[in-house]
């Protein structure tokens, strides 16, 4: 339950400060597909350098149980890379991935899905975009975990936008992996 509390706490802060974000990675895989162990949460945030003060202000709402490097976050915003927050009681890491403003990133933000957990709004990546980004990570890393994550979401979500998946799989050069998902043996997730 503590992990859900962390998710609710952080999304509440992001919402309160009107940040443009969505939950992704293992959080989204667990939401749309199968649960799996992870040592971090991932959030994608679309923010300009001019808006960085709003994120720093939002993070000032964190309890002393959370630590982060303010200058590291500002640098990550400028370079469109990643920064971390650490939840000390568990040694749990929260990764903040800053939007690179690619066409695909812009599309993912347009398609984010607002979900409600325990009465609180949380933005999630769409299941189609999660599949695509996991296949792209697989293409670059050949980590089976990314392919298995994509497969679990693909198999569990029954109303996927196949046209969108096919279009972006081609653009991201992961169409062969998408085809493999279609014939990947169904697992008992």
């Amino acid at each position: 339950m503590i992990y859900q509390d962390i998710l609710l706490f952080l999304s509440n802060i992001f919402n309160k400060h009107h940040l443009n974000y969505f939950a992704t990675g293992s959080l989204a895989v667990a939401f749309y597909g199968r649960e799996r162990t992870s040592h971090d949460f991932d959030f994608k945030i679309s923010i300009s350098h001019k808006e960085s003060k709003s994120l720093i202000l939002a993070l000032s709402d964190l309890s002393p149980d959370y630590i982060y490097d303010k200058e590291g976050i500002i640098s990550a915003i400028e370079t469109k890379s990643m920064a971390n927050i650490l939840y000390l009681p568990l040694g749990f890491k929260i990764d903040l991935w800053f939007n690179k403003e690619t066409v695909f990133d812009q599309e993912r933000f347009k398609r984010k899905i607002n979900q409600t957990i325990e009465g609180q709004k949380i933005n999630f990546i769409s299941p189609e975009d999660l599949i695509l980004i996991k296949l792209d990570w697989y293409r670059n890393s050949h980590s089976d975990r990314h392919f298995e994550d994509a497969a679990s979401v693909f198999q569990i979500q029954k109303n996927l936008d196949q046209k969108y998946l096919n279009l972006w799989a081609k653009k991201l050069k992961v169409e062969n992996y998408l085809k493999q998902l279609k014939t990947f043996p169904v697992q008992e997730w």
Side-chain angles (χ1 to χ4, degrees):
M1 187 58 118
I2 191 136
Y3 297 106
Q4 182 172 315
D5 294 339
I6 294 169
L7 170 63
L8 294 172
F9 179 68
L10 289 170
S11 58
N12 182 54
I13 288 172
F14 295 162
N15 292 335
K16 176 181 163 186
H17 290 274
H18 308 287
L19 296 174
N20 189 11
Y21 77 95
F22 59 74
T24 187
S26 63
L27 269 172
V29 171
F31 190 80
Y32 293 123
R34 65 174 169 87
E35 287 190 49
R36 67 166 175 82
T37 59
S38 179
H39 302 290
D40 67 359
F41 283 168
D42 296 303
F43 290 94
K44 184 84 168 175
I45 300 175
S46 180
I47 192 168
S48 69
H49 178 67
K50 291 178 186 175
E51 299 168 314
S52 62
K53 289 179 183 172
S54 63
L55 178 59
I56 299 303
L57 179 63
L59 296 179
S60 71
D61 288 351
L62 294 173
S63 77
D65 287 338
Y66 293 86
I67 61 169
Y68 60 94
D69 175 11
K70 179 179 168 183
E71 296 306 316
I73 288 177
I74 292 170
S75 175
I77 292 169
E78 289 173 356
T79 60
K80 306 294 185 187
S81 56
M82 188 253 301
N84 302 308
I85 299 171
L86 187 63
Y87 180 66
L88 293 173
L90 298 177
F92 190 76
K93 188 169 59 111
I94 298 104
D95 293 333
L96 306 177
W97 296 88
F98 296 101
N99 197 11
K100 295 182 186 238
E101 302 299 331
T102 65
V103 174
F104 184 53
D105 276 349
Q106 292 170 5
E107 192 65 28
R108 289 192 294 163
F109 271 95
K110 285 184 208 170
R111 294 174 45 82
K112 70 184 176 189
I113 297 175
N114 183 287
Q115 301 289 349
T116 302
I117 298 176
E118 291 194 15
Q120 184 172 311
K121 174 188 134 183
I122 301 172
N123 296 324
F124 279 88
I125 188 173
S126 74
E128 294 87 356
D129 290 325
L130 180 59
I131 290 167
L132 291 164
I133 201 66
K134 285 292 186 174
L135 292 178
D136 194 45
W137 277 96
Y138 177 71
R139 178 178 61 87
N140 290 312
S141 71
H142 294 286
S143 166
D144 289 340
R145 176 167 279 191
H146 293 300
F147 190 82
E148 291 165 2
D149 286 346
S152 79
V153 174
F154 187 83
Q155 291 172 3
I156 290 171
Q157 295 299 309
K158 301 300 180 198
N159 296 314
L160 295 169
D161 184 340
Q162 296 294 330
K163 184 176 176 183
Y164 178 85
L165 278 170
N166 291 326
L167 171 75
W168 278 100
K170 185 173 184 176
K171 288 181 179 187
L172 295 171
K173 300 182 181 355
V174 296
E175 62 266 44
N176 288 336
Y177 299 130
L178 181 62
K179 287 176 188 171
Q180 289 174 27
L181 284 185
K182 294 176 182 179
T183 60
F184 194 74
V186 174
Q187 301 293 320
E188 292 297 322
W189 305 110

